[in-house]
Amino acid sequence: MMKNKIILILIAIILISCEDKYTQKSPDDTETMNSGKITVYCDKAIESVIDTAFKMYTNDYKNVELNVQYSNSRNVMSQLLGNKARIIVNARDYLHDEDSLMKAFKIKKYKRFELAYDGLVFFVRNDFPVDTLNANQIEAAITSEKLLSKSTNGLNFEPIYATVNQNSSIFANLNSMVIKNRLIRKKIELLENIDEVKKQVSKNNSIIGIGYLSQLVNDKNFKMLQLGFNSDSLKKYISPKPVHQGYIVQNLYPFKVIYYAYLQEDRQNLPFWFGTYLAKEEKVQKLFLDKGIVPAFARIKLKYEE
């Protein structure tokens, strides 16, 4: 019998490179495709994944002066909407109020690259009494008076939830993907960062933490709950699977998180080529794979280990 262990293999990636056509200048000279100055505002929640990619770019393009500013997701997006940033990297789509603001001021949606696919995960201490849940159960438990303990065999207490505060992309994705922007009716502890969430979960086996796969994939102190769900795209019920990049790439996990690079201008300038590097450079895509998430641009081959 085939076991639930999947290896993802990068089999083909196209790199768009400018090195052969343009001579690099110093950062103080006129901006070109591979020289000049650029500031990127980035979602703090994905720093552990994306920071290495920024360092790779700096090493490859020594005539680009790259300034990286990490902040919460809400602030990062405000830099773009306020016309203060030429490029941002954020692990979420537009929020409802941001979308409404753009429509009110007749601002078109920004050009963006999909960089990688992560997962919004529900994690618990290893001694938590169950391993699997249903996505609909979680939605109902958070947004209504229904109790998770009443619909889950083996769960003899009602869990509370913990995640990063309302300015984070984690909270934004919880709101949009899981509870579908409905009112929260259960207690959710909102903490400063994922490390604080982990501390809370480690203290109490009645807490369900909410974070990203990339933040939990190598942490043996916790287990990620397997989630069954009704798939609209596949038009069938998907039984709970181990939380793994191999199932995210097959759309067999319900809460896929997209890392986007948003561009202020829709033209081929330095931010465009920087975003292209993050999206299509082979070693960056391999980095995402090695971090336990799915590179968006690469062709992927699944290999099942016996």
Side-chain angles (χ1 to χ4, degrees):
M1 177 181 266
M2 190 173 291
K3 296 181 180 179
N4 286 321
K5 187 171 182 182
I6 309 175
I7 297 175
L8 273 66
I9 303 171
L10 251 58
I11 57 175
I13 300 175
I14 299 173
L15 169 64
I16 296 181
S17 175
C18 316
E19 291 287 355
D20 294 337
K21 295 183 179 180
Y22 296 89
T23 302
Q24 290 194 0
K25 302 178 182 180
S26 74
D28 292 326
D29 290 331
T30 303
E31 179 178 289
T32 70
M33 293 180 181
N34 51 23
S35 70
K37 297 179 181 179
I38 184 170
T39 297
V40 57
Y41 289 83
C42 184
D43 180 3
K44 182 73 174 176
I46 60 173
E47 180 178 359
S48 63
V49 175
I50 204 75
D51 192 60
T52 302
F54 294 154
K55 290 174 181 176
M56 288 176 173
Y57 178 84
T58 298
N59 186 62
D60 287 348
Y61 292 90
K62 293 181 171 56
N63 288 329
V64 175
E65 186 178 305
L66 179 64
N67 178 28
V68 180
Q69 298 290 328
Y70 288 103
S71 187
N72 66 67
S73 176
R74 171 68 86 168
N75 183 55
V76 166
M77 190 64 83
S78 73
Q79 300 299 319
L80 181 75
L81 296 175
N83 204 29
K84 297 177 181 178
R86 300 172 72 198
I87 184 168
I88 67 168
V89 176
N90 215 349
R92 65 165 173 85
D93 208 332
Y94 302 99
L95 300 183
H96 179 71
D97 64 309
E98 293 165 348
D99 195 49
S100 298
L101 183 67
M102 292 171 67
K103 288 178 180 177
F105 286 92
K106 296 181 171 54
I107 301 173
K108 294 181 180 180
K109 293 290 180 70
Y110 295 96
K111 180 179 180 61
R112 64 188 184 184
F113 294 102
E114 293 186 7
L115 307 182
Y117 307 129
D118 206 327
L120 185 73
V121 301
F122 293 78
F123 67 98
V124 292
R125 265 180 24 178
N126 289 317
D127 59 350
F128 193 77
V130 301
D131 298 317
T132 64
L133 288 175
N134 183 281
N136 290 336
Q137 285 179 292
I138 296 174
E139 178 187 356
I142 295 177
T143 61
S144 74
E145 300 305 319
K146 293 181 180 179
L147 299 178
L148 192 63
S149 56
K150 296 297 184 183
S151 61
T152 306
N153 292 331
L155 192 61
N156 57 6
F157 59 86
E158 191 60 22
I160 59 176
Y161 304 86
T163 192
V164 188
N165 64 55
Q166 63 269 27
N167 291 319
S168 71
S169 61
I170 298 172
F171 184 87
N173 286 317
L174 168 69
N175 197 44
S176 62
M177 295 180 185
V178 182
I179 65 174
K180 303 174 178 65
N181 297 308
R182 294 170 63 191
L183 185 65
I184 295 173
R185 296 187 179 275
K186 294 289 171 44
K187 180 179 179 180
I188 299 182
E189 295 186 36
L190 300 178
L191 303 168
E192 184 65 25
N193 53 55
I194 192 63
D195 290 335
E196 293 300 316
V197 177
K198 288 182 178 183
K199 286 179 184 178
Q200 284 295 91
V201 175
S202 66
K203 292 176 184 177
N204 190 336
N205 81 334
S206 67
I207 297 179
I208 297 177
I210 305 165
Y212 288 149
L213 171 60
S214 57
Q215 298 168 330
L216 277 300
V217 66
N218 294 317
D219 197 329
K220 304 303 181 186
N221 294 311
F222 307 99
K223 63 181 177 182
M224 293 178 281
L225 296 174
Q226 301 178 32
L227 302 177
F229 69 105
N230 293 311
S231 171
D232 293 333
S233 61
L234 299 177
K235 294 181 170 51
K236 63 179 181 179
Y237 174 75
I238 306 299
S239 61
K241 303 284 192 299
V243 186
H244 186 277
Q245 60 192 158
Y247 292 114
I248 290 176
V249 78
Q250 297 176 81
N251 293 318
L252 298 178
Y253 184 76
F255 306 128
K256 181 167 75 173
V257 172
I258 303 176
Y259 295 3
Y260 292 108
Y262 292 83
L263 298 171
Q264 181 69 235
E265 302 169 293
D266 186 7
R267 63 189 184 94
Q268 293 188 8
N269 55 8
L270 181 57
F272 172 89
W273 290 110
F274 174 61
T276 300
Y277 179 93
L278 297 177
K280 299 182 180 182
E281 166 59 45
E282 180 175 359
K283 57 188 172 186
V284 175
Q285 296 289 280
K286 185 178 184 303
L287 167 69
F288 295 150
L289 196 70
D290 292 343
K291 291 285 187 178
I293 61 173
V294 181
F297 185 77
R299 291 173 57 201
I300 298 292
K301 178 179 180 181
L302 299 176
K303 179 181 178 181
Y304 293 84
E305 280 196 341
E306 296 289 345

